[in-house]
Amino acid sequence: MTTGATHSSRSPLGGHAPTQQRVGRTLPFDDARHLLAHRWLVDETYLLDAQDYEVWLELLTDDIHYLMPVRVTTALGAGFDTAPGMAHFDEDRYSLERRVARFATEHAWTEDPPSRMRHYLTNVRTFATEDPDHLVVDSAVLLFRSRGDVRESALVSAGREDLLRRVGDDWRLARRTILVDESVLRMQNLAVFL
């Protein structure tokens, strides 16, 4: 990826995505902005674990871009580690709302009965941007997911880069890029959010 580019800029649906990027070093762990971002992510994680997706949608901006590119294994120095134009998720606000609405219908067979999930969140680093109303936040997430009584549980490990935007007195998720640590996902389906 070239300097100044984001994963969203290479995505078919990412043309509308916000482009703010990190500047400088990570914020100190006792910086009020880092503490705010960390708390925001922890609160969001609890909503995802509870599968309270209607409330989760309220945490998103109208121009959200939610992207999980397909990872590929390449030779050292190849210059890329994701498949151009391919993604497990490449979504905007409308598609995320449709996915959440589908969970309430009889057509959501992938989550009936619902999965039991736990998102483990760690390695949170926060960066300022040129715009004081935006923060870039890196984190690592491990998703444990169990379905039914007979299938084995599944794990997904990933790094995330989030863009948080101040909207009035609150913060909202404006961009999320999820880079999974495997090129072949071993989960039966991916009907959940990371």
Side-chain angles (χ1 to χ4, degrees):
M1 222 166 21
T2 60
T3 303
T6 64
H7 282 279
S8 290
S9 66
R10 294 178 16 186
S11 150
L13 297 181
H16 71 282
T19 58
Q20 288 82 1
Q21 295 189 58
R22 64 187 74 199
V23 294
R25 299 176 56 127
T26 60
L27 297 176
F29 288 160
D30 61 352
D31 186 292
R33 295 167 294 177
H34 172 76
L35 295 171
L36 180 146
H38 194 176
R39 179 178 177 178
W40 191 97
L41 288 177
V42 169
D43 288 344
E44 182 210 20
T45 297
Y46 276 86
L47 289 175
L48 293 175
D49 285 346
Q51 299 176 46
D52 195 349
Y53 299 130
E54 293 289 340
V55 175
W56 179 72
L57 284 173
E58 296 173 13
L59 300 180
L60 311 181
T61 63
D62 289 339
D63 62 345
I64 177 78
H65 188 226
Y66 186 88
L67 178 68
M68 189 167 113
V70 172
R71 297 300 294 267
V72 294
T73 304
T74 59
L76 184 65
F80 64 94
D81 66 352
T82 60
M86 293 181 64
H88 298 286
F89 299 123
D90 188 354
E91 301 195 64
D92 58 14
R93 175 79 188 213
Y94 177 78
S95 64
L96 291 169
E97 287 174 346
R98 297 291 53 94
R99 273 217 292 154
V100 167
R102 187 172 184 271
F103 286 139
T105 72
E106 70 274 5
H107 303 294
W109 54 268
T110 58
E111 281 301 303
D112 186 11
S115 297
R116 292 179 290 274
M117 293 185 291
R118 184 78 56 210
H119 293 73
Y120 294 90
L121 175 73
T122 188
N123 297 0
V124 177
R125 301 184 319 150
T126 307
F127 299 84
T129 69
E130 291 182 358
D131 179 349
D133 289 332
H134 288 85
L135 294 170
V136 171
V137 189
D138 285 346
S139 63
V141 65
L142 179 68
L143 172 65
F144 170 89
R145 182 181 182 202
S146 175
R147 298 199 67 232
D149 296 325
V150 294
R151 294 196 178 277
E152 290 185 18
S153 58
L155 296 173
V156 175
S157 173
R160 299 186 308 191
E161 182 192 78
D162 294 336
L163 179 67
L164 296 182
R165 177 185 300 150
R166 187 191 333 260
V167 178
D169 293 333
D170 298 319
W171 288 82
R172 302 278 186 260
L173 181 65
R175 187 181 69 224
R176 170 162 288 164
T177 303
I178 304 158
L179 295 176
V180 291
D181 296 322
E182 296 178 291
S183 57
V184 177
L185 297 180
R186 291 176 267 181
M187 190 169 281
Q188 182 183 10
N189 66 65
L190 204 55
V192 297
F193 299 102
L194 288 169

